[in-house]
Amino acid sequence: MAPKESAGTELLLRSFERRFLAARGLRSFPWQSLEAELRDSSDSELLRDILQKTVKHPLCVKHPPSVKYAWCFLSELIKKHEAVHMDPLDELYEALAEILMAKESTQGHRSYLLPLGGSVTLSESTAIISHGTTGLVTWDAALYLAEWAIENPAAFTHRTVLELGSGAGLTGLAICKMCHPRAYIFSDCHSRVLEQLRRNVLLNGLSLGADVTANSDSPRVTVAQLDWDVATVPQLSAFQPDVVIAADVLYCPEAILSLVGVLQRLAACREHQRAPEVYVAFTVRNPETCQLFTTELGRAGITWEAEPRHDQKLFPYEEHLEMAILKLTL
């Protein structure tokens, strides 16, 4: 758990750095340059600015991240400050004291800023594996697919989108807020994941199902229980998706076989109509797993092509990871 929190801390600082650069019309500079900026700063305004854009940001105050995450972040910031300044900054230590007095929870919040001023806030488990599932946290390919969707909104605008294995809901919530789908169906098979998905949909100001009014600009949002191994053609036909997406679901051979099976049944739903477009995003952790996926697609008669890497990086994730999005033709 500790390495993930530490990595998340650095990513959050890097996220601030990108925004800091954009405000100055710059493209990029090394991570170490934050220390250089602190060293060159004649006062503490830079650190106060960082605090206001992170732990003191209104989103973080309203929906706080995990105590451990905030503690790691502030500790790192204090270390960088102390490395270049002799005098302590009271605001830093006051913020850390508040965190130390807070009670740790099994749930925390993560907030992601969207272009044009919006945001997505998620309630997530503080553990990678919880209640027998990894679906209670956001994984890197979900962030990568959300970035691609925001850069390619026409793929979703005024269309019905079915997401397989929605997890915490980041990708779908970003699409609902940025791409104007007609309807969006979050789906998963785990009861705890479904409960958290419903909470996250409501947390982000969206309504579920019949709560959406006819003149609303928001899509019709549904959270559906969907077990790939037992889902029938009639059940899948009821969704009537124009687009199907999935992120970080190629984690084992069994999941790959189940995914290909449900895609075959989705193809059968529209025998006399155009099949839905399918986009699957994944992190290349094991090349053999990716090879198995493309092999099984070929056996099922499903063709694929890799989407070009997109330009914009909006969200913090490990930059060295190899990620891909395949467009499938059912």
Side-chain angles (χ1 to χ4, degrees):
M1 186 69 182
K4 184 176 178 66
E5 293 288 355
S6 179
T9 300
E10 183 164 331
L11 288 169
L12 186 53
L13 282 167
R14 284 183 179 178
S15 179
F16 167 79
E17 233 181 276
R18 284 194 295 274
R19 295 179 180 280
F20 188 77
L21 287 170
R24 288 157 172 76
L26 303 175
R27 290 184 61 82
S28 64
F29 54 73
W31 165 239
Q32 290 78 7
S33 62
L34 178 55
E35 287 188 15
E37 288 277 340
L38 290 171
R39 190 178 295 111
D40 295 340
S41 178
S42 59
D43 54 32
S44 301
E45 285 308 307
L46 176 59
L47 276 174
R48 291 191 177 92
D49 196 24
I50 293 175
L51 282 175
Q52 291 303 315
K53 287 181 168 66
T54 53
V55 293
K56 294 298 184 181
H57 190 284
L59 275 175
C60 286
V61 173
K62 185 177 182 180
H63 304 296
S66 74
V67 171
K68 187 173 183 179
Y69 185 93
W71 178 84
C72 287
F73 174 76
L74 286 169
S75 298
E76 185 75 15
L77 202 55
I78 287 171
K79 281 194 294 184
K80 291 191 177 297
H81 172 68
E82 291 178 343
V84 296
H85 286 286
M86 295 295 293
D87 296 330
L89 180 65
D90 289 343
E91 288 94 327
L92 270 177
Y93 292 94
E94 288 169 1
L96 183 61
E98 290 178 14
I99 295 300
L100 292 175
M101 290 188 292
K103 185 179 179 181
E104 183 65 279
S105 171
T106 57
Q107 291 287 119
H109 292 92
R110 291 193 179 209
S111 295
Y112 301 88
L113 301 183
L114 300 173
L116 308 178
S119 64
V120 170
T121 295
L122 302 175
S123 173
E124 294 188 0
S125 170
T126 56
I128 296 175
I129 300 175
S130 179
H131 300 287
T133 179
T134 59
L136 295 171
V137 297
T138 298
W139 294 88
D140 292 315
L143 297 165
Y144 187 73
L145 182 56
E147 289 178 340
W148 181 87
I150 291 169
E151 195 170 275
N152 297 273
F156 306 97
T157 302
H158 305 311
R159 308 181 83 183
T160 296
V161 184
L162 168 63
E163 183 178 5
L164 303 173
S166 298
L170 181 278
T171 304
L173 290 167
I175 289 173
C176 287
K177 291 194 172 192
M178 297 297 297
C179 302
H180 308 290
R182 176 174 60 250
Y184 198 95
I185 302 136
F186 295 88
S187 75
D188 214 288
C189 67
H190 197 284
S191 60
R192 293 280 185 149
V193 175
L194 294 168
E195 290 173 15
Q196 182 175 267
L197 269 171
R198 294 186 185 97
R199 290 197 301 269
N200 282 338
V201 167
L202 299 175
L203 183 64
N204 284 274
L206 297 172
S207 299
L208 286 167
D211 292 337
V212 178
T213 59
N215 60 356
S216 173
D217 291 331
S218 299
R220 181 182 180 88
V221 176
T222 307
V223 175
Q225 184 169 24
L226 186 63
D227 186 327
W228 300 347
D229 291 325
V230 300
T232 63
V233 170
Q235 181 184 3
L236 295 169
S237 296
F239 295 134
Q240 297 186 318
D242 302 302
V243 185
V244 177
I245 67 171
D248 256 329
V249 295
L250 309 182
Y251 48 84
C252 68
E254 293 77 14
I256 289 172
L257 295 175
S258 296
L259 175 62
V260 173
V262 80
L263 291 175
Q264 287 180 289
R265 273 166 273 150
L266 278 165
C269 292
R270 294 196 168 192
E271 186 176 352
H272 304 295
Q273 303 177 49
R274 183 179 177 182
E277 297 174 9
V278 181
Y279 299 93
V280 179
F282 54 92
T283 303
V284 183
R285 297 184 180 89
N286 183 347
E288 292 180 0
T289 303
C290 301
Q291 181 62 50
L292 175 63
F293 181 50
T294 55
T295 298
E296 291 300 323
L297 289 175
R299 288 177 179 169
I302 299 173
T303 59
W304 59 272
E305 60 179 325
E307 287 290 315
R309 290 189 64 85
H310 54 270
D311 297 327
Q312 61 181 344
K313 189 172 189 303
L314 299 173
F315 305 125
Y317 50 81
E318 296 284 0
E319 296 181 10
H320 71 274
L321 294 175
E322 181 183 354
M323 284 184 276
I325 299 174
L326 299 187
K327 180 179 180 180
L328 313 183
T329 302
L330 302 184

